[in-house]
Amino acid sequence: MSHPKTEHVVDARFMEPPEPFEKTMEMLDTLQSGERMLLLLYREPHPLFRVLRQNGYSYEVEQVADGTFEILIWQ
Amino acid sequence: MQAILSYDNAPPFSAPLRYFLSAPCFAAAAGVLLVVDGPGFYVSRWMPATLAFTHLITLGFMMMVMVGALIQVLPVVMGVTLVQARRVVVLTHLGLALGLVALVAAFLSSKSWLFTVASLLLGGALGLFLISVTIAAMRVDAPTPSVAALKSSFLGFAGTLVLGLLLAFGLALGWALPYAALTDLHATWGLAAWSGVLLAALSYITVPMFQLTPVYPSLLTRHLSRLLMTGAVLQGFAVLVDVEVFRQLALLVLSVAGIWFVLTSLALQRKRRRARRDSTFLFWQLGLGCAFLALAMLLYFVFYPNEQNIQQSAFLFASLLGIGGYVSLMTGMLYKIVPFLAWLHLQNLGPQKPKLPSMAELLPERFIRQQLVAHCLALLLLLAAVFWPVWFARAAGFVFLLSQLFLFSNLLLVGLSYRKVFQTASNFAAR
């Protein structure tokens, strides 16, 4: 799946917890340095943000017109 | 990944779990009361055992679940940090449990000193909790609909608590108060302004999250709490000035608001993105259906009061809304939240963690489904008991007791699985 912001995308909008979390962690493990991933959700995943912060990841959240939150994550 | 979470911004799994495990225990005790009391229970809603039963469900089950959910959902899902979390968690639980025992004993024995003890314990514990969550919620910058609704619910909580304490102290000290009207007001604030608004606030997050429905429409999320609070305040006003038409208007507003939430939730469920009819979905269908019936009943009685069968109507309404509605909805939520929280906490075991069980392995669906069947049976018997207490009262109490013990064992299973994985992981790390 690709997206203007990055080609590494996890579209978790149709996943039940904890799959969004799991898929995000899996993708982060495969990223090369300098690469970024995008997580798509219909809410802001606070538990995930906490874990990202504690593990040295940065993220940026943007909400688009259809209600999707686009969460860009990088290290 | 190592993750060090402070107690304040993410209480450990044991923090909410003690509340979630207490809830079915108190509900089971309510079942015991019904078994012991039998048909006499249904003579009047003012019977000692009936009042005790009511509070075992509202404080013992509903309040325990709501406080437990707030303790964990606030920090973990909404990013809201509790103040003095460890003390608040422990003291609130103790005060609530002991206070409820005292209150039940007070109702059953009519001893005024027990009402005093109950008031002090419940007032202290719940007051402390209320202050803690209010401070936490006020610190949140992002004004999402859930947070706004949450703040309203704390007002509802405060109102319910004040009215409850007023009634309890009045009974303890023999004050001349309009007890019937105040009790109805206390019940309205408890069911609508506190539980109703809180349930709505949590639903805005958990229903789309766990049931993969679209989000709640903004028209509802912006106005529902306000409507419920308006209805509750109107009823307060009605009691103050003793004017019947205000009371009717209040009930009209409340029932319409409740029906709005129920119908919207049902509509959202029909638009689920992955149409799995799992047990939580079924608990919610049951809960929403019963709530709808109860609220439709309420609306009907605003226009056509049923003077003749007022006790029976009250029991039917309470059974439908309380056990059919709130207990079903909260149970459904618990079956998603508890395994999810266990799983989330296990994520923090670090890179040495063993292979984690999936959420489905933490609590198999078939156990949930079986408990759902038990709960439905209990509900049917409870509703039958309203009309034929001599036949059904004790059976209803017994089956309800069993269904709650079953719920307890399901939740305990999650706790035990969590502990087993945790201990295995600690052993790994120690090598």
Side-chain angles (χ1 to χ4, degrees):
Chain A
M1 185 174 172
S2 81
H3 188 279
K5 288 182 184 171
T6 169
E7 63 182 30
H8 307 287
V9 181
V10 168
D11 186 349
R13 288 174 296 181
F14 306 100
M15 295 180 193
E16 276 180 51
E19 217 186 324
F21 200 109
E22 285 173 320
K23 289 280 183 286
T24 303
M25 292 298 124
E26 276 168 29
M27 179 160 281
L28 285 175
D29 281 341
T30 69
L31 286 184
Q32 310 286 341
S33 84
E35 285 184 323
R36 308 184 299 177
M37 73 157 279
L38 191 69
L39 170 64
L40 302 175
L41 271 179
Y42 283 119
R43 65 184 181 279
E44 288 194 76
H46 291 280
L48 178 66
F49 292 161
R50 191 177 316 245
V51 171
L52 291 175
R53 281 197 300 270
Q54 250 115 28
N55 288 277
Y57 287 92
S58 306
Y59 60 89
E60 200 175 81
V61 184
E62 191 190 329
Q63 190 173 19
V64 297
D66 70 348
T68 303
F69 285 92
E70 293 187 345
I71 301 151
L72 199 58
I73 310 170
W74 68 94
Q75 192 152 34
Chain B
M1 284 185 180
Q2 284 294 341
I4 299 143
L5 300 169
S6 75
Y7 197 106
D8 280 353
N9 63 28
F13 189 48
S14 60
L17 195 61
R18 81 191 67 196
Y19 286 87
F20 296 147
L21 288 174
S22 305
C25 292
F26 281 111
V32 170
L33 206 56
L34 182 51
V35 172
V36 167
D37 214 52
F41 184 90
Y42 288 94
V43 167
S44 146
R45 57 181 278 215
W46 306 106
M47 303 294 280
T50 315
L51 289 167
F53 182 101
T54 305
H55 287 88
L56 281 167
I57 299 295
T58 53
L59 283 176
F61 187 91
M62 288 168 63
M63 182 67 86
M64 281 286 181
V65 170
M66 291 189 290
V67 173
L70 282 171
I71 280 169
Q72 192 84 134
V73 167
L74 277 178
V76 169
V77 178
M78 298 173 76
V80 176
T81 306
L82 284 176
V83 194
Q84 286 289 322
R86 191 192 301 268
R87 282 205 189 102
V88 170
V89 164
V90 171
L91 288 175
T92 304
H93 184 256
L94 262 177
L96 178 55
L98 292 174
L100 177 57
V101 170
L103 186 63
V104 167
F107 280 125
L108 294 177
S109 67
S110 300
K111 295 218 155 59
S112 28
W113 67 269
L114 281 169
F115 279 111
T116 309
V117 169
S119 307
L120 293 171
L121 285 169
L122 290 171
L126 296 176
L128 172 68
F129 180 71
L130 180 59
I131 291 170
S132 174
V133 289
T134 304
I135 294 174
M138 297 313 270
R139 289 177 178 175
V140 175
D141 297 323
T144 64
S146 272
V147 174
L150 218 59
K151 291 178 183 171
S152 298
S153 81
F154 297 158
L155 262 170
F157 189 166
T160 311
L161 184 60
V162 164
L163 285 165
L165 290 173
L166 180 63
L167 284 163
F169 275 120
L171 287 168
L173 305 170
W175 295 342
L177 294 172
Y179 285 98
L182 278 177
T183 304
D184 278 346
L185 188 61
H186 169 69
T188 298
W189 275 74
L191 290 171
W194 164 223
S195 311
V197 176
L198 179 63
L199 182 75
L202 289 176
S203 303
Y204 301 158
I205 297 178
T206 61
V207 169
M209 181 170 160
F210 288 107
Q211 297 186 46
L212 296 184
T213 66
V215 294
Y216 275 82
S218 62
L219 187 67
L220 184 139
T221 62
R222 274 183 295 133
H223 297 300
L224 184 73
S225 337
R226 236 169 277 169
L227 257 181
L228 288 168
M229 297 304 292
T230 302
V233 167
L234 255 173
Q235 189 169 348
F237 188 62
V239 170
L240 213 58
V241 299
D242 200 10
V243 174
E244 179 63 11
V245 77
F246 284 131
R247 198 186 74 91
Q248 286 177 302
L249 189 59
L251 293 179
L252 177 66
V253 170
L254 290 169
S255 46
V256 165
I259 289 172
W260 188 20
F261 176 76
V262 167
L263 292 179
T264 305
S265 303
L266 283 167
L268 286 178
Q269 285 206 308
R270 293 183 75 208
K271 297 192 212 151
R272 279 159 17 257
R273 292 190 181 99
R274 262 163 67 168
R276 279 203 316 140
R277 291 174 85 248
D278 68 2
S279 299
T280 289
F281 170 75
L282 292 171
F283 265 110
W284 265 66
Q285 293 271 288
L286 176 67
L288 292 169
C290 290
F292 178 79
L293 287 172
L295 292 166
M297 226 182 102
L298 189 67
L299 190 57
Y300 179 81
F301 285 135
V302 169
F303 298 106
Y304 304 104
N306 185 0
E307 297 298 334
Q308 249 132 21
N309 278 319
I310 212 164
Q311 292 301 328
Q312 206 175 60
S313 309
F315 277 108
L316 186 60
F317 176 75
S319 306
L320 276 172
L321 188 64
I323 310 289
Y326 277 109
V327 171
S328 306
L329 292 169
M330 288 182 180
T331 303
M333 258 193 191
L334 277 179
Y335 277 135
K336 285 288 189 213
I337 292 177
V338 174
F340 176 68
L341 290 174
W343 184 91
L344 200 62
H345 281 287
L346 288 173
Q347 294 307 304
N348 295 320
L349 287 174
Q352 305 301 339
K353 60 179 181 283
K355 182 174 182 310
L356 294 180
S358 66
M359 265 174 67
E361 283 162 359
L362 282 169
L363 183 54
E365 163 72 15
R366 70 179 184 283
F367 291 165
I368 307 178
R369 186 66 59 107
Q370 286 163 7
Q371 200 264 325
L372 169 61
V373 171
H375 174 72
C376 285
L377 188 58
L379 178 63
L380 273 167
L381 288 169
L382 283 166
L383 292 173
V386 171
F387 297 102
W388 305 284
V390 172
W391 291 99
F392 291 108
R394 292 207 154 93
F398 185 65
V399 176
F400 183 65
L401 155 69
L402 287 180
S403 77
Q404 288 300 311
L405 289 177
F406 198 165
L407 172 60
F408 175 80
S409 90
N410 280 348
L411 297 176
L412 186 67
L413 188 63
V414 180
L416 292 175
S417 304
Y418 172 86
R419 198 163 68 164
K420 198 164 81 154
V421 175
F422 200 85
Q423 279 169 348
T424 313
S426 308
N427 295 339
F428 259 43
R431 280 187 213 144

